[in-house]
């Protein structure tokens, strides 16, 4: 009474096969998306890596240019490079993560160097964020994590992502030269400064 005719059985089998095929395709696409996302994340800190940061910086600069808005950029580095280890990086990364808004991008560029892109934020607002992060990392247990940080902004510090990032790097160099454990806001771009920075070097810092 409840048996299926051969034709219906074949039809149901075909439908089941199609459903299985589609589910497999959906699962494969989901896995590809997950793999692509993992390729953009620093495995130690859970923040973006240098490649993802470069892309976010360029995209946000272009958005700021179109909308006429401001953009803040900060670069921070652990002062004692010899003390860097995975647990320290993870602790610092957690502070960067919890300090960001949803529209911000925080990244670990490698070997204890971190960076953030802050849309709709001028360099003075970015300075306050950098100072908050510096204080929070410095207050961590076991002596804290002293960091030097440099801050710059678009369009004041440069007309493109490379120039603004270089300006933030110049401010970071000033902070380190002044003794470290401080935030420097770049007041002007030195006339001798290059407006290009080799971001491939930043990617190499992801080791460790």
């Amino acid at each position: 009474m409840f048996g299926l005719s051969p034709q219906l059985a074949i039809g149901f089998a075909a439908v089941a096969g199609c459903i299985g095929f589609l589910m497999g395709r959906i699962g494969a696409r989901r896995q590809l998306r997950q793999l692509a996302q993992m390729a953009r994340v620093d495995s130690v800190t859970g923040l973006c890596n240098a490649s993802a940061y470069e892309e976010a910086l360029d995209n946000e600069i272009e958005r700021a240019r179109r909308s006429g808005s401001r953009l803040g950029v900060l670069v921070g580095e652990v002062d004692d490079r010899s003390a860097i280890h995975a647990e320290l990086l993870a602790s610092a990364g957690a502070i960067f993560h919890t300090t960001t808004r949803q529209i911000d991008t925080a990244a670990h560029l490698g070997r204890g160097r971190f960076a953030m892109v802050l849309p709709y934020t001028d360099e003075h607002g970015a300075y306050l964020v950098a100072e908050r992060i510096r204080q929070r990392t410095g207050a961590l247990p076991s002596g804290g994590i002293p960091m030097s940080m440099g801050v710059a902004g678009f369009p004041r510090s440069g007309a493109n992502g490379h120039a603004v990032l270089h300006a933030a790097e110049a401010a970071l160099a000033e902070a380190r030269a002044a003794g470290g454990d401080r935030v420097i806001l770049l007041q002007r771009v030195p006339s001798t400064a290059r407006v290009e920075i080799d971001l491939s070097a930043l990617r190499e810092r992801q080791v460790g």
Side-chain angles (χ1 to χ4, degrees):
M1 178 178 177
F2 296 99
L4 296 176
S5 67
Q7 293 83 359
L8 284 176
I10 293 172
F12 278 123
V15 170
C18 288
I19 292 174
F21 174 76
L22 290 174
M23 293 299 292
R25 290 288 297 274
I26 292 172
R29 289 176 181 174
R30 184 180 295 112
Q31 289 180 345
L32 287 174
R33 286 196 300 269
Q34 291 174 343
L35 289 173
Q37 182 64 26
M38 290 173 61
R40 298 166 54 84
V41 174
D42 175 68
S43 60
V44 177
T45 63
L47 303 176
C48 292
N49 59 24
S51 298
Y53 180 79
E54 176 187 356
E55 180 181 339
L57 178 60
D58 288 340
N59 289 341
E60 293 299 340
I61 287 281
E62 184 57 33
R63 181 179 290 114
R65 181 179 289 113
R66 291 196 307 266
S67 64
S69 61
R70 301 279 183 151
L71 179 77
V73 171
L74 66 86
V75 179
E77 189 170 70
V78 176
D79 285 334
D80 186 0
R81 302 288 295 279
S82 65
I84 293 175
H85 53 81
E87 185 177 350
L88 178 148
L89 294 175
S91 297
I95 289 176
F96 273 83
H97 179 73
T98 57
T99 307
T100 60
R101 304 166 297 176
Q102 287 188 342
I103 61 173
D104 300 332
T105 300
H108 178 225
L109 304 180
R111 298 180 184 175
R113 180 164 290 201
F114 296 83
M116 285 182 67
V117 179
L118 301 119
Y120 305 105
T121 306
D122 63 14
E123 54 267 29
H124 299 288
Y127 177 91
L128 295 176
V129 173
E131 182 61 29
R132 188 180 311 129
I133 291 172
R134 187 193 68 80
Q135 291 179 7
R136 292 183 64 189
T137 56
L140 286 169
S142 303
I145 306 173
M147 294 187 71
S148 299
M149 307 193 78
V151 177
F154 172 84
R156 182 182 180 188
S157 302
N160 56 56
H162 287 188
V164 176
L165 181 57
H166 177 67
E169 293 266 353
L172 171 61
E174 287 187 27
R176 292 184 65 86
D181 194 18
R182 68 194 65 210
V183 180
I184 294 290
L185 169 60
L186 189 72
Q187 299 298 326
R188 62 183 180 84
V189 179
S191 59
T192 57
R194 293 182 298 111
V195 296
E196 295 292 329
I197 183 168
D198 185 3
L199 282 164
S200 64
L202 294 181
R203 296 191 189 98
E204 292 176 0
R205 293 180 183 145
Q206 293 181 76
V207 178

